[in-house]
Amino acid sequence: MARYDPSTVEPKWRTAWAEAGVDVTRPDPDRPTYYALEMFPYPSGRLHVGHARNYAMGDVNARYQRARGRNLLHPMGWDAFGLPAENAAAERGVDPRAWTLGNIEVMRAELQRLGLAIDWTREFATCDPEYYGLQQAWFLKLWRRGLAYRKEGLVNWDPVDMTVLANEQVIDGRGWRSDAPVERKKLTQWFLRITAYADELLDGLETLDHWPEKVKLMQANWIGRSAGLTLRFDFAGGAPAESGPALAVYTTRPDTLYGASFVAVAPDHPLAEALAERDPAVADFVRRARRGGTSEAEIESAEKLGFDTGIEVIHPFDPTWRLPVWIANFVLMDYGTGAIFGCPAHDQRDLEFARKYGLPVTPVVLPAGQDPASFAIADEAWTGPGRIYNSKFMDGLDIEAAKAAAIQRAEAANQGEGAIVYRLRDWGVSRQRGWGCPIPIIHCPACGIVGVPEEELPVRLPESLDFSRPGNPLARDEAWKAVACPRCGAAAERETDTLDTFVDSSWYFARFPDPRAPEPIGAEAARWLPVDQYIGGIEHAVLHLLYARFVVRALRDEGMLTVDEPFAGLFTQGMVTHETYRRQNGEWVEPGQVRMVQEGSSRRALDAATGEPLIIGDPEKMSKSKRNVVAPADIADRYGVDATRLFVLSDSPPDRDVQWTTAGVEGAWRLVNRIWREFDAPAAPVPSKDGAEQALALRRLTHRTIKQVSEAMDGFRFNSAIARIYEIVSALHALGPGEETERARAEALSVLARLIAPFAPHLAEECWRRIGGEGFVALAPWPAFDPSLAEDDEKVLPVQIDGKRRGEVRAPAGASEEAVRQLVLSDPEIARRLEGVTIRRLIVVRDRIVNLVTG
RNA sequence: GCGGGCGUGGCGGAAUUGGCAGACGCGCCGGACUCAAAAUCCGGUUCUGGUGACAGAGUGUCGGUUCGACCCCGACCGCCCGCACCA
């Protein structure tokens, strides 16, 4: 009996699969397609355990679906543009392209070592000129249709990464990569008009039945549709001429218009800017109001600041009513119209502002049970339900009816229109970076903005990029920039901004079906899209996953795609965490340098070299700074790839975090060996005297296991699937010898090899070969179960008396209520307990339970 | 503040139509094998009382619905996540 040696078995099978082309996808009209995809990695250098779990999970599902008869597409590529390459270039003087391609080599080998059923013939990287050239081609199409445009505006500036960020990339007022506080800057930038699809992106969420509710909710909130009224307040005097005759205000509470006490505009509002130009006091206020940060703490503590412009507007429903116009720091220019009307009684922010500046507070919504004569607002605005009062034509209406009435009145008087407003803003895609996809645009002094002609694509990056100085190397590469205008031939300049790398990842999945097609998305895409199952981290809930949904729609409207949604199914996997260890002085210590000591039921951590006691911290996401990173390659060296795969999937449900522990991997390693022993030299510790009975029991377990594992696989409950595998392995181990048992054993082993194949493909192949299985188990069909064996033909029914378990009876499966009743009442143990009590009810739940209710 | 999720043994977690709570793994305890250790194997392991058969309690807390609740309803407590001066 040979000990299972992954270091020889695993490479052997990977070579065999590669030589046979097992994982290469070929067209097969007889089988339904299945497109399995995991979010492609950024080639940072080495594979992380988090990657290993993500790809193992995707691979388990992909292999399972293939075994179930689907024609599988399971490709891999590289999200290869991005800042780490530039940072490496700046710090170590390496070429970002060489650095990236080198990392890809290393990581491809690491991924391949995981034994993933991936069709590597389709691989590409987003930094391949072929790929980004095609991206430039569709960018130009979008530009011609007005879906890509340039505008000047306030943008999020990351002072550390020295680039602009999209709103989705600002987390808590900080850059998503650099964690530096984001500044506001006025720049001319490229945008993609995602807002044109706001409605469709929101409504489309309802069609995504196989997406987590959480992600759909996050996207819905991010899009943030609200219905209200855009209302014009005519100026009564004092407004600059260029501001026009009226000020537009957006509100979702037109029912409270009679509670208005002021109008306020954002510091960036054109009116405020016009006033600032002629009045230094206004200019000074605007400067102060803009200074406030955007982080949580700053907003919470931010004081309401206002400046009374002296301008007055006329209330749209009452020509005699004048309202003052203020500039206020809490009004946002990029939501609605950048101007509000303040109703302090029913809006907390307006109330704080009114109290500070002595503006009137008039309630117009009366909560139920309040007396209109005495109801007053103190420190808290009333935002709940009630009846409208103090409001002329709306008096007596509820809030919803009053909103409708106000909108109707405003529209009839040509004072405004009902309007839908979104929180979502257009996607700023300009990045002042050198290692990215160049925006294929030429700036001509005569012709203005000119697109690069399609036949000149791709606009390639220069051969070498100089990152020795901060800032965008393209912007100072005069030779690269200089170009003749394609329209008039005059000397012109290339656009030096590159596209946000989230553009690169917003369509790569549509390229894999036809990865060498001359057009961006080849004809094969129609056969495979949408992706059946997409797997990745929750952190992309409103980034990548929203951008991809938008780009697919934009390309569809270009006639390049036929689907509305990129990903029919989505699964967000949890992180891999690890305990942290630190010295008394606070220094972090790597797990490899820690020796764990068990004392009874408590654990202590010691420095392996010095014996110094260490502080054990909570499990956290693996990070270099906390030094709690474990490299999957190191684990695979010790325990093999299959044990590594089994462990990352066995300990927690896939959508939850899993804590990496050495004990856990060792458990998976034990399982690998236990399985192998059953195939290699089945133990027979129990003398078999009841062979037929044992054989039947094993057959029942085998078929029940197929059923349960299949159900668990379908529901992505891989941890439960592995638990069922443990059970059948234990049963095999306890099986005695004999003719009948050996037949049952052969069946169980054949099933077991196929059930473990998605999780531990190398071990499964070796086992399959050992029992003389035909071909590769990787291509073997998933076992089917016999329903008559998967269900027991005799059930043990617990018998409860008044809800407490007091015994059990054995009844044939499906036994009638009457039959079970007879069994229960004739059971001596139950009868003994029922002496002297009356049975009020006897409830029989078929095949489940019996409950006796006594009086 | 708004929205959402989650609270089950020492630990990770099962219990996917309201029907035996704690599957499976880890850890721990005891035993076998061994000169010894590792590995492996066998048994035990929710808590309390009892040598034991057994009895009682038990899924964050309190209450409700039900013959029956980890599961449904209400209130509360705690933790996690997303958004956030969005009019």
Side-chain angles (χ1 to χ4, degrees):
Chain A
M1 161 160 131
R3 191 177 165 83
Y4 184 73
D5 178 14
S7 69
T8 57
V9 170
E10 291 180 348
K12 177 182 78 181
W13 287 110
R14 284 198 294 276
T15 306
W17 293 326
E19 281 170 0
V22 161
D23 300 318
V24 177
T25 303
R26 296 179 187 84
D28 183 350
D30 295 336
R31 287 186 297 158
T33 61
Y34 192 89
Y35 187 176
L37 189 67
E38 301 90 51
M39 291 181 187
F40 67 166
Y42 176 79
S44 55
R46 276 197 91 181
L47 211 62
H48 185 269
V49 185
H51 288 125
R53 186 170 190 230
N54 187 196
Y55 297 121
M57 210 176 273
D59 197 50
V60 166
N61 181 56
R63 286 174 177 276
Y64 172 65
Q65 295 295 342
R66 183 167 67 185
R68 291 235 99 152
R70 309 288 290 268
N71 189 21
L72 175 69
L73 175 62
H74 188 211
M76 182 61 71
W78 306 95
D79 189 14
F81 276 133
L83 269 170
E86 297 193 14
N87 293 338
E91 285 159 21
R92 282 173 273 154
V94 295
D95 174 54
R97 178 181 290 110
W99 183 85
T100 302
L101 297 180
N103 286 347
I104 288 175
E105 291 301 315
V106 171
M107 289 178 71
R108 184 195 300 115
E110 289 188 306
L111 279 177
Q112 286 176 338
R113 189 183 175 193
L114 288 177
L116 306 173
I118 280 173
D119 181 356
W120 286 99
T121 66
R122 293 164 189 269
E123 175 189 1
F124 60 79
T126 57
C127 65
D128 297 341
E130 187 199 11
Y131 182 83
Y132 70 71
L134 294 167
Q135 181 165 301
Q136 291 167 340
W138 67 248
F139 177 87
L140 286 169
K141 288 189 179 186
L142 262 49
W143 173 59
R144 294 204 176 92
R145 288 187 56 233
L147 287 177
Y149 65 95
R150 227 165 94 92
K151 79 160 189 213
E152 185 186 55
L154 276 178
V155 296
N156 309 301
W157 178 260
D158 186 320
V160 169
D161 284 345
M162 301 253 297
T163 188
V164 165
L165 296 176
N167 292 314
E168 289 81 3
Q169 293 155 17
V170 179
I171 315 290
D172 252 357
R174 290 168 179 272
W176 72 288
R177 279 198 73 263
S178 70
D179 206 34
V182 163
E183 297 166 6
R184 306 283 279 164
K185 234 185 177 180
K186 204 161 214 175
L187 281 177
T188 300
Q189 297 284 293
W190 285 94
F191 289 85
L192 292 182
R193 206 178 295 279
I194 190 170
T195 54
Y197 292 88
D199 260 317
E200 219 198 306
L201 289 169
L202 187 63
D203 295 341
L205 292 172
E206 285 168 30
T207 69
L208 298 174
D209 300 331
H210 302 287
W211 274 44
E213 287 303 319
K214 180 185 171 71
V215 174
K216 290 195 275 186
L217 195 74
M218 282 167 71
Q219 290 209 357
N221 290 340
W222 187 262
I223 295 166
R225 174 156 61 188
S226 71
L229 172 66
T230 308
L231 194 61
R232 282 178 293 279
F233 285 73
D234 291 325
F235 286 113
E242 64 266 33
S243 300
L247 182 65
V249 158
Y250 174 74
T251 180
T252 56
R253 291 300 300 274
D255 55 306
T256 64
L257 262 165
Y258 283 97
S261 69
F262 63 95
V263 166
V265 301
D268 308 317
H269 193 278
L271 176 63
E273 294 193 330
L275 292 172
E277 245 169 64
R278 69 198 58 175
D279 183 346
V282 177
D284 184 56
F285 173 78
V286 166
R287 213 171 307 120
R288 276 194 297 133
R290 269 191 196 151
R291 200 158 44 214
T294 48
S295 76
E296 181 180 349
E298 282 168 306
I299 286 166
E300 221 137 75
S301 60
E303 180 130 12
K304 301 275 179 292
L305 292 178
F307 184 95
D308 186 352
T309 63
I311 298 170
E312 288 190 324
V313 290
I314 301 164
H315 193 286
F317 293 162
D318 182 353
T320 66
W321 187 352
R322 302 288 169 90
L323 293 164
V325 178
W326 288 66
I327 301 168
N329 65 340
F330 69 93
V331 182
L332 305 174
M333 187 57 220
D334 43 13
Y335 185 78
T337 61
I340 62 158
F341 83 82
C343 177
H346 304 295
D347 183 289
Q348 191 60 33
R349 294 155 303 177
D350 296 349
L351 183 63
E352 286 167 27
F353 191 79
R355 293 293 188 224
K356 176 160 179 182
Y357 293 105
L359 295 159
V361 179
T362 315
V364 291
V365 179
L366 187 68
Q370 288 284 346
D371 178 357
S374 63
F375 179 61
I377 299 293
D379 294 335
E380 292 215 10
W382 174 254
T383 55
R387 292 272 155 207
I388 304 295
Y389 71 129
N390 293 338
S391 295
K392 309 275 168 59
F393 69 93
M394 290 185 276
D395 281 351
L397 298 177
D398 65 29
I399 289 173
E400 286 312 310
K403 282 181 181 174
I407 292 171
Q408 199 183 9
R409 171 74 64 106
E411 286 181 341
N414 200 24
Q415 289 277 355
E417 297 81 32
I420 307 283
V421 165
Y422 301 91
R423 211 190 78 103
L424 182 71
R425 275 159 246 158
D426 278 339
W427 176 14
V429 292
S430 280
R431 294 292 178 275
Q432 291 69 46
R433 313 299 331 170
W435 185 234
C437 170
I439 296 177
I441 292 288
I442 290 164
H443 298 278
C444 169
C447 310
I449 296 176
V450 182
V452 173
E454 192 155 346
E455 61 274 16
E456 288 175 26
L457 298 180
V459 175
R460 285 172 180 267
L461 289 169
E463 279 308 307
S464 82
L465 289 158
D466 170 21
F467 285 101
S468 59
R469 284 180 290 154
N472 181 357
L474 296 179
R476 50 176 190 259
D477 188 331
E478 297 303 329
W480 185 81
K481 265 161 60 178
V483 65
C485 171
R487 193 172 297 164
C488 71
E493 277 196 358
R494 288 195 187 283
E495 169 69 58
T496 60
D497 283 351
T498 52
L499 288 171
D500 183 0
T501 56
F502 279 103
V503 178
D504 310 340
S505 55
S506 67
W507 69 288
Y508 77 104
F509 45 85
R511 181 84 185 141
F512 280 130
D514 213 341
R516 312 293 171 236
E519 66 275 25
I521 297 165
E524 277 292 299
R527 184 195 310 277
W528 294 97
L529 289 175
V531 173
D532 289 278
Q533 186 63 57
Y534 196 41
I535 305 180
I538 185 81
E539 66 272 19
H540 288 295
V542 288
L543 287 159
H544 164 58
L545 290 168
L546 185 62
Y547 295 145
R549 296 183 63 227
F550 154 62
V551 168
V552 160
R553 285 173 166 80
L555 298 183
R556 174 202 62 195
D557 291 346
E558 276 306 327
M560 297 167 65
L561 264 175
T562 54
V563 293
D564 296 331
E565 290 286 348
F567 313 118
L570 174 70
F571 191 89
T572 54
Q573 102 277 16
M575 295 182 303
V576 182
T577 63
H578 197 294
E579 275 182 339
T580 52
Y581 310 99
R582 57 199 314 186
R583 297 183 200 287
Q584 309 300 322
N585 66 11
E587 209 177 287
W588 301 100
V589 182
E590 284 174 23
Q593 298 174 1
V594 176
R595 187 161 56 93
M596 300 305 299
V597 183
Q598 189 79 40
E599 285 167 357
S601 57
S602 75
R603 296 158 63 242
R604 292 202 304 138
L606 304 176
D607 184 308
T610 65
E612 177 195 351
L614 303 171
I615 302 158
I616 302 177
D618 287 338
E620 291 189 55
K621 181 178 183 174
M622 291 190 188
S623 72
K624 280 182 190 159
S625 62
K626 304 233 167 104
R627 307 191 68 173
N628 62 339
V629 178
V630 173
D634 297 347
I635 302 304
D637 285 344
R638 255 172 97 178
Y639 301 102
V641 164
D642 287 337
T644 309
R645 290 171 57 124
L646 278 166
F647 171 63
V648 290
L649 297 177
S650 67
D651 243 30
S652 283
D655 54 349
R656 249 188 261 180
D657 290 354
V658 63
Q659 189 191 339
W660 185 274
T661 61
T662 309
V665 200
E666 281 169 355
W669 167 238
R670 268 197 291 276
L671 175 62
V672 166
N673 283 291
R674 284 173 61 189
I675 291 172
W676 174 244
R677 277 198 300 272
E678 291 313 315
F679 281 87
D680 189 47
V686 183
S688 172
K689 52 184 186 298
D690 46 7
E693 207 174 293
Q694 275 200 48
L696 182 61
L698 180 62
R699 292 207 69 205
R700 287 196 183 287
L701 177 65
T702 301
H703 287 262
R704 196 171 69 227
T705 302
I706 298 172
K707 179 167 188 275
Q708 290 176 336
V709 170
S710 305
E711 283 165 2
M713 299 293 262
D714 289 332
F716 263 63
R717 296 187 303 274
F718 301 135
N719 53 327
S720 295
I722 293 169
R724 300 285 82 79
I725 289 170
Y726 269 103
E727 277 176 347
I728 194 169
V729 173
S730 296
L732 276 165
H733 184 73
L735 189 70
E739 207 177 306
E740 294 104 324
T741 55
E742 289 315 310
R743 269 202 304 279
R745 185 197 307 279
E747 179 188 45
L749 289 176
S750 165
V751 165
L752 180 59
R754 286 174 283 166
L755 295 185
I756 62 171
F759 296 97
H762 311 84
L763 171 68
E765 215 64 82
E766 190 72 10
C767 292
W768 189 244
R769 176 59 52 94
R770 186 77 181 75
I771 58 172
E774 210 173 299
F776 289 104
V777 72
L779 296 176
W782 191 250
F785 64 87
D786 178 344
S788 68
L789 286 169
E791 295 293 340
D792 287 334
D793 56 358
E794 187 185 63
K795 302 278 182 184
V796 175
L797 304 183
V799 178
Q800 296 181 333
I801 297 175
D802 293 327
K804 285 191 194 300
R805 190 184 199 280
R806 293 302 185 203
E808 61 186 40
V809 292
R810 291 174 172 275
S816 72
E817 188 172 332
E818 188 47 40
V820 173
R821 175 189 289 264
Q822 293 304 325
L823 278 169
V824 169
L825 295 178
S826 60
D827 184 275
E829 171 66 16
I830 305 292
R832 187 181 66 77
R833 289 187 181 271
L834 287 173
E835 268 168 37
V837 290
T838 40
I839 301 171
R840 289 229 324 254
R841 277 181 78 183
L842 198 162
I843 294 141
V844 177
V845 183
R846 179 162 300 197
D847 291 346
R848 289 284 193 179
I849 201 167
V850 178
N851 194 11
L852 288 153
V853 187
T854 69

